[in-house]
Amino acid sequence: MKFKIIVVVAARPNFMKAAPIFVELKRFKNIEPVLIHTGQHYDAGLSKVFFHDLSLPRPDAHLGVGSGTHGEQTGKTMVTFEGILSKHKPHLVIVVGDVNSTLACALATVKVRCANKDYYPLLAHVEAGLRSFDWHMPEEYNRRLTDAVSDFLFTTEPSGARNLEREGIDRKRIFFVGNVMIDSLMRFKKRAEHSDILQRLKLEKKKYALLTMHRPSNVDDKRALRGLLHVLRRISRLLDVVYPIHPRTEKMLKQYGLSADFLRIVPPLGYLDFLQLMMNARCVLTDSGGIQEETTVLKIPCLTLRNNTERPVTVSEGTNTIVGKDPEKIFSAVENILEGKIRKGKCPKFWDGKAARRICRTIDAHLRNP
Ligand code: UD1
């Protein structure tokens, strides 16, 4: 008998996490993987290019959920994903990360059990247990609620199990497997070295900073955005700041009538181009989650434009520094980097390119022998 497993993707940070899992699942003869795209991200630059760069097959279904309020987006995803569950009747659903679709598909999966006495789909959450303890972040709700209902909780770093156990999650459901995002980084690093993005943008290695900024707390709040732009202007006098802009930020800059023309703004980039830019940057300034992890492995200094991180190992072992939104702290951190005061850091345990293998072996063993 074949076990059907649905892998859910939805938004940009999901693709590089799901890709290695999907590839690995395909190696198991007794497993039939099904790829479902909820359509939370729909712009080609946030979605399609990743399928190409990561050699992901076309999804078996695209739910076309799109944007909306949190309730709309989450609700619409639940309804459409319920249809997918009744069509495919998977044995297990795998959700990754912490976006709205992660939670929506998790809830839809476990709720199907209540209405069907004879059907009990299992749920696995990849990147479980991360906590920012910041309830202003929609992702914090998504993480906690998804973890609360998952049968398999695959963690990336030691803080994951600690957080989950504190929340009363049975230790037997928690598996420390490492970081699937790093599986992709290791698999595609060589290919990324061939990207011609530096020539296209006329950049020299180590002579620019790379910026990503899209968190609602940084870009939806006019004062916060203006403050960040102010310090970025100062930084841009020291070195080029390359900014692949996120549609949310583009929209907010227009809405507030703010200018960012001192930055080297480029459209959102694909996985390989972005990896190449990260590898050769003098430093990275970001409010993203995954980039804190990728820079740790690449040993590139990372300044996180947030007051907290759900990925503490990147600070304790990696190259990440939490600088928040304080302009002086941000500016002096950049000055320090330019003066060569940088931490080398080390690669956290199990960030070794084999996380997807550990996940799939665990799942396979359980499905064979529940
Ligand atoms: C989402 C995730 C966030 C992740 C980010 C990565 C949630 C709550 N947030 O945030 O965790 O870090 O993705 O990018 O799930 N838009 C487009 N094209 C698209 C998608 C969005 O133009 O393909 C615009 C729309 O105006 C939309 C806005 O961006 O309203 C925000 O999109 P949304 O998916 O709600 O959240 P992100 O900010 O992308």
Side-chain angles (χ1 to χ4, degrees):
M1 149 162 140
K2 276 211 174 204
F3 296 105
K4 207 179 238 197
I5 297 184
I6 287 186
V7 180
V8 176
V9 291
R12 184 166 61 179
N14 293 160
F15 304 122
M16 60 297 272
K17 296 172 192 168
I21 300 172
F22 195 80
V23 168
E24 194 62 33
L25 284 175
K26 286 205 131 186
R27 296 156 66 112
F28 288 80
K29 290 207 171 59
N30 60 326
I31 289 177
E32 181 189 345
V34 176
L35 187 64
I36 303 294
H37 191 335
T38 69
Q40 178 171 339
H41 280 176
Y42 40 90
D43 279 2
L46 297 186
S47 173
K48 197 172 172 197
V49 62
F50 288 85
F51 278 77
H52 176 263
D53 282 3
L54 295 158
S55 310
L56 264 169
R58 271 171 77 96
D60 294 275
H62 192 289
L63 308 184
V65 166
S67 299
T69 64
H70 284 274
E72 275 166 350
Q73 198 173 54
T74 312
K76 221 167 153 186
T77 310
M78 280 186 74
V79 174
T80 45
F81 191 67
E82 206 169 42
I84 292 291
L85 291 170
S86 55
K87 178 175 170 205
H88 287 278
K89 288 263 182 308
H91 292 84
L92 178 121
V93 172
I94 301 180
V95 293
V96 300
D98 55 14
V99 301
N100 283 343
S101 300
T102 308
L103 173 63
C105 296
L107 285 180
T109 302
V110 295
K111 276 180 170 286
V112 153
R113 300 170 186 169
C114 311
N116 298 273
K117 260 204 332 289
D118 310 321
Y119 177 47
Y120 195 97
L122 294 166
L123 177 67
H125 184 206
V126 173
E127 211 180 62
L130 296 181
R131 299 288 180 265
S132 66
F133 303 98
D134 177 354
W135 290 105
H136 292 102
M137 291 178 79
E139 293 83 359
E140 186 70 359
Y141 293 88
N142 296 339
R143 292 179 199 117
R144 295 218 188 203
L145 298 172
T146 302
D147 285 341
V149 295
S150 292
D151 302 291
F152 298 88
L153 297 109
F154 294 112
T155 61
T156 53
E157 60 164 284
S159 74
R162 281 201 301 274
N163 293 330
L164 293 170
E165 283 181 39
R166 201 181 308 120
E167 287 164 27
I169 303 236
D170 185 350
R171 202 177 283 192
K172 286 202 231 68
R173 285 155 54 195
I174 306 170
F175 304 88
F176 177 33
V177 291
N179 195 327
V180 282
M181 202 168 196
I182 304 307
D183 289 11
S184 280
L185 188 152
M186 291 188 172
R187 180 163 161 226
F188 289 101
K189 199 165 165 244
K190 274 261 151 331
R191 221 180 280 178
E193 281 164 10
H194 293 113
S195 148
D196 62 355
I197 188 73
L198 293 185
Q199 291 93 299
R200 270 172 20 230
L201 299 181
K202 300 194 174 49
L203 292 168
E204 273 181 68
K205 289 183 180 179
K206 301 291 167 193
K207 295 251 168 84
Y208 63 90
L210 178 62
L211 168 71
T212 80
M213 186 170 70
H214 72 279
R215 290 262 157 233
S217 56
N218 281 340
V219 306
D220 288 6
D221 173 345
K222 188 174 182 183
R223 266 188 57 178
L225 182 56
R226 195 192 278 143
L228 284 166
L229 289 175
H230 187 72
V231 65
L232 288 167
R233 184 191 285 274
R234 288 172 66 198
I235 295 168
S236 69
R237 291 188 193 117
L238 304 178
L239 78 174
D240 270 341
V241 179
V242 181
Y243 180 28
I245 196 163
H246 188 283
R248 174 190 283 279
T249 317
E250 197 168 17
K251 193 168 82 180
M252 298 320 291
L253 284 171
K254 253 189 225 132
Q255 190 171 315
Y256 294 143
L258 294 170
S259 158
D261 55 9
F262 47 89
L263 301 172
R264 293 278 312 270
I265 293 185
V266 296
L269 296 172
Y271 184 70
L272 300 175
D273 285 344
F274 191 78
L275 200 51
Q276 156 90 279
L277 275 187
M278 233 180 339
M279 290 188 298
N280 292 302
R282 188 70 177 261
C283 67
V284 173
L285 297 118
T286 188
D287 59 8
S288 145
I291 291 172
Q292 299 169 46
E293 301 181 329
E294 290 168 332
T295 46
T296 273
V297 173
L298 295 170
K299 305 212 182 301
I300 302 293
C302 176
L303 302 177
T304 294
L305 306 169
R306 289 170 42 190
N307 297 325
N308 50 58
T309 179
E310 61 287 336
R311 294 161 159 89
V313 78
T314 61
V315 176
S316 59
E317 295 186 20
T319 58
N320 189 18
T321 309
I322 306 296
V323 288
K325 291 181 225 178
D326 176 352
E328 287 318 312
K329 208 166 168 186
I330 298 169
F331 191 73
S332 75
V334 171
E335 279 185 321
N336 281 341
I337 291 167
L338 293 179
E339 285 164 21
K341 294 179 198 154
I342 49 174
R343 274 184 301 141
K344 271 231 149 68
K346 64 170 189 188
C347 194
K349 186 175 175 191
F350 286 168
W351 293 21
D352 57 359
K354 296 178 188 148
R357 194 171 306 165
R358 293 187 191 99
I359 289 171
C360 296
R361 282 187 182 159
T362 307
I363 287 173
D364 176 59
H366 180 90
L367 289 176
R368 282 171 189 274
N369 202 356

